[in-house]
Amino acid sequence: MRVTTAFSRLVRLPGVWVRKVRFEPDRVIVEVALRRRRLVCPKCGFSTRARKDTRPEDSVWRHLDLGVWRLEVHCRRRRLWCPVHGARTEGVPFAPPGSEFTRDFECLVAWLATKADKSTIQRMLRVDWDTVGRIVKRVCDAELDPGWLDDLFDVGVDEVSWKRQHKYLTLVVDHQRRQVVWGCEGSGQAAADEFFDQLDPPPEHDEPRAASEPAIMVPFGPCPTVPAGHGIPGAWLEGGLELEPALVARAGLLRAVSMDMGPGYAKSVREHAPQAIICIDPYHVVQLANQALDEVRRAYWNELRRVGNQQAAKRFKDSRWSLLKKPEKLNDEQAATLARIKAAGGEVWRAYELKEAVRGIFQAGLLLEDVEVLIGRLLSRLARSRLEPFVKLGKTIRKHRDGILAAIRLGINQGRTEALNNTVRLITRRAYGFHSAKAALALVLLTCGPITIHLPHELHALGIG
Ligand SMILES: [Zn+2]
């Protein structure tokens, strides 16, 4: 067998044949030529036989390593004139447009990025982390099914901090499929508005849409209206008025949207999906209880330092995790610390008991009626607690009682949402080194979203590669 034939089989790149192979000190270079005669625009797929010219030098892609060798694919590409995109270098069937890597290599990187940490990937594949970010973004864009936002019924919207403090990503979770389905940079109302805009893209108008005032009355309540030509005609509407199309679009399918207790997301949901029930994710309530406990602990610790009891203060500072972790997850040392705090009694122990009472309410298996009774009891306990952070917590819970109960009634499962949330947090931390938020979002979607990444050998076995 000739060397070039052997390498054609080895690299297994679609649409090319190997012309030449050469070894350099640190790499193998495989020169290939495209089988097809026609030139294809990499942006739109327009194809032509007419060549504009040939690029003066080879294009280079990194392919899967060959043993310890770094493998480079070289190809002399032609240029074409696309009626839409102008002068372009022709696309190749084995690599995404604009990439310096073959599709096989990108699949391997994307798959590993969802499984392994930064240093493992960098060292194993010899790529820098920002390159990983760009690859992850490309693979995510290519693999995301266009119907990924169809059939959403119960969703949750939540933010996760990214990079530095006060920099956030907002993510939308599909509770039924237990997947992250959407994300953007930023948080609050603007971020949720962006989600609804993508769910139901606003129609493009030649001229700005007139204000929808005044709303007319239909038999089942007020109906927002839009100028003729932009909406949906209704037989009962007078004067050529039409229904706002968004009312029957994808946002109209939403049954429930779960969120934290801030005002931003709720405002956006009331505007874009007024039929959806607003639920409060129980784990946000538990999170607030943990914060209240931490405030009490810190105040006590400062008090110890103030009165000069340095040793006790030092011991107490280490108690943070003993208090905040679930008791069943404590190690022996932490459990001993917790036992000491219990023996000492006082406000820190009382705060701990209140936090555990909050957590207990949302434990799996409780019926809605039980939870209603328990919340009632909890609220009076919090009000009488004489611990400022817990009195405040009680007020917040009272304000959002309906939303909290709605989450339990509709079966928005705390354990599952929390588990997904923890995975997302882990992935976002791994994505801290990426320059762009879009790459971080892509990694979240690849890991927890509606995308299945295959390894190169699986793609070839499936006949996709
Ligand atoms: Zn084109």
Side-chain angles (χ1 to χ4, degrees):
M1 191 188 277
R2 281 165 47 195
V3 171
T4 48
T5 316
F7 266 84
S8 271
R9 289 222 190 146
L10 269 176
V11 297
R12 214 170 165 173
L13 295 171
V16 298
W17 55 278
V18 173
R19 295 164 61 131
K20 216 155 96 187
V21 177
R22 67 174 195 273
F23 284 77
E24 290 197 352
D26 62 337
R27 65 195 69 194
V28 188
I29 292 170
V30 178
E31 258 179 53
V32 303
L34 293 176
R35 285 185 191 282
R36 66 179 175 214
R37 286 276 154 84
R38 299 185 76 88
L39 293 82
V40 177
C41 169
K43 294 211 98 172
C44 65
F46 164 80
S47 84
T48 174
R49 275 184 175 279
R51 135 197 347 214
K52 190 180 163 287
D53 52 20
T54 301
R55 290 193 63 204
E57 70 273 331
D58 280 352
S59 306
V60 178
W61 294 267
R62 168 111 185 257
H63 190 40
L64 302 170
D65 288 352
L66 195 68
V68 296
W69 296 89
R70 181 190 275 264
L71 197 155
E72 274 181 7
V73 177
H74 288 209
C75 180
R76 186 61 62 96
R77 287 195 289 173
R78 303 161 294 176
R79 299 204 307 159
L80 71 149
W81 188 269
C82 169
V84 180
H85 299 104
R88 291 274 159 182
T89 304
E90 65 179 332
V92 292
F94 55 84
S99 171
E100 296 156 27
F101 303 94
T102 65
R103 194 162 278 122
D104 280 354
F105 189 84
E106 295 209 335
C107 284
L108 178 63
V109 169
W111 186 85
L112 264 179
T114 66
K115 312 276 179 206
D117 62 84
K118 182 173 161 175
S119 55
T120 305
I121 298 170
Q122 282 182 315
R123 188 166 164 199
M124 187 178 161
L125 297 181
R126 297 178 269 188
V127 285
D128 66 71
W129 193 238
D130 219 37
T131 305
V132 172
R134 281 196 300 276
I135 291 176
V136 158
K137 167 83 172 54
R138 254 196 309 271
V139 171
C140 178
D141 288 349
E143 297 297 321
L144 214 48
D145 182 332
W148 54 304
L149 290 179
D150 290 348
D151 300 331
L152 292 178
F153 303 106
D154 295 343
V155 300
V157 51
D158 200 0
E159 68 217 16
V160 48
S161 68
W162 180 66
K163 263 189 160 163
R164 293 178 288 277
Q165 294 261 300
H166 308 302
K167 215 168 173 188
Y168 293 98
L169 303 176
T170 291
L171 300 168
V172 173
V173 170
D174 179 353
H175 285 308
Q176 291 180 340
R177 283 179 284 180
R178 290 179 225 171
Q179 286 174 336
V180 177
V181 290
W182 187 86
C184 77
E185 208 177 347
S187 64
Q189 191 180 357
D193 284 349
E194 213 176 311
F195 167 67
F196 284 112
D197 274 356
Q198 197 168 348
L199 199 58
D200 300 312
E204 287 172 23
H205 298 290
D206 297 330
E207 50 204 67
R209 179 187 278 191
S212 62
E213 292 296 315
I216 57 160
M217 295 299 291
V218 292
F220 37 86
C223 170
T225 59
V226 293
H230 297 294
I232 292 150
W236 64 90
L237 299 177
E238 285 172 43
L241 290 166
E242 296 177 320
L243 277 177
E244 167 66 68
L247 286 180
V248 291
R250 293 194 284 193
L253 296 177
L254 292 175
R255 178 181 71 145
V257 184
S258 69
M259 58 190 71
D260 59 16
M261 281 165 278
Y265 296 135
K267 224 171 149 199
S268 177
V269 170
R270 273 197 292 271
E271 190 176 312
H272 293 98
Q275 82 291 346
I277 298 166
I278 290 176
C279 307
I280 304 300
D281 277 318
Y283 76 84
H284 283 302
V285 185
V286 177
Q287 229 168 33
L288 278 190
N290 268 327
Q291 281 166 17
L293 167 60
D294 211 36
E295 270 180 58
V296 174
R297 179 195 65 86
R298 256 199 327 258
Y300 183 69
W301 174 56
N302 285 332
E303 179 66 20
L304 283 179
R305 283 199 310 175
R306 202 178 56 79
V307 300
N309 194 342
Q310 294 302 338
Q311 216 171 11
K314 165 91 188 57
R315 254 205 333 265
F316 200 71
K317 190 173 182 233
D318 299 332
S319 70
R320 181 153 190 259
W321 293 112
S322 309
L323 290 164
L324 296 185
K325 271 169 84 172
K326 293 174 184 170
E328 63 269 22
K329 296 216 168 144
L330 295 179
N331 63 29
D332 290 351
E333 200 182 321
Q334 289 163 335
T337 308
L338 189 64
R340 272 208 313 277
I341 294 169
K342 182 179 181 178
E347 54 199 49
V348 176
W349 181 250
R350 273 200 299 127
Y352 178 81
E353 283 186 312
L354 289 170
K355 182 270 279 186
E356 280 298 302
V358 173
R359 212 167 64 82
I361 290 179
F362 302 114
Q363 231 126 65
L366 287 184
L367 297 172
L368 181 63
E369 300 86 79
D370 299 337
V371 177
E372 280 186 56
V373 173
L374 287 173
I375 286 193
R377 263 188 230 156
L378 176 75
L379 286 177
S380 57
R381 228 178 125 184
L382 292 175
R384 287 183 280 106
S385 67
R386 283 172 289 120
L387 295 169
E388 184 48 39
F390 281 91
V391 174
K392 216 174 112 206
L393 173 70
K395 285 179 188 158
T396 311
I397 293 180
R398 191 180 297 276
K399 190 172 153 205
H400 294 280
R401 194 171 177 275
D402 290 348
I404 295 168
L405 289 171
I408 310 246
R409 181 160 49 84
L410 295 173
I412 309 266
N413 183 302
Q414 189 214 347
R416 286 206 307 254
T417 0
E418 199 178 3
L420 185 58
N421 203 278
N422 288 339
T423 317
V424 166
R425 263 155 234 278
L426 202 75
I427 298 301
T428 337
R429 259 201 298 280
R430 197 184 294 164
Y432 273 18
F434 293 155
H435 276 125
S436 86
K438 291 206 162 54
L441 283 168
L443 188 59
V444 172
L445 282 172
L446 281 183
T447 313
C448 314
I451 299 171
T452 316
I453 325 169
H454 294 285
L455 282 165
H457 70 267
E458 293 166 342
L459 285 174
H460 288 289
L462 291 165
I464 301 168

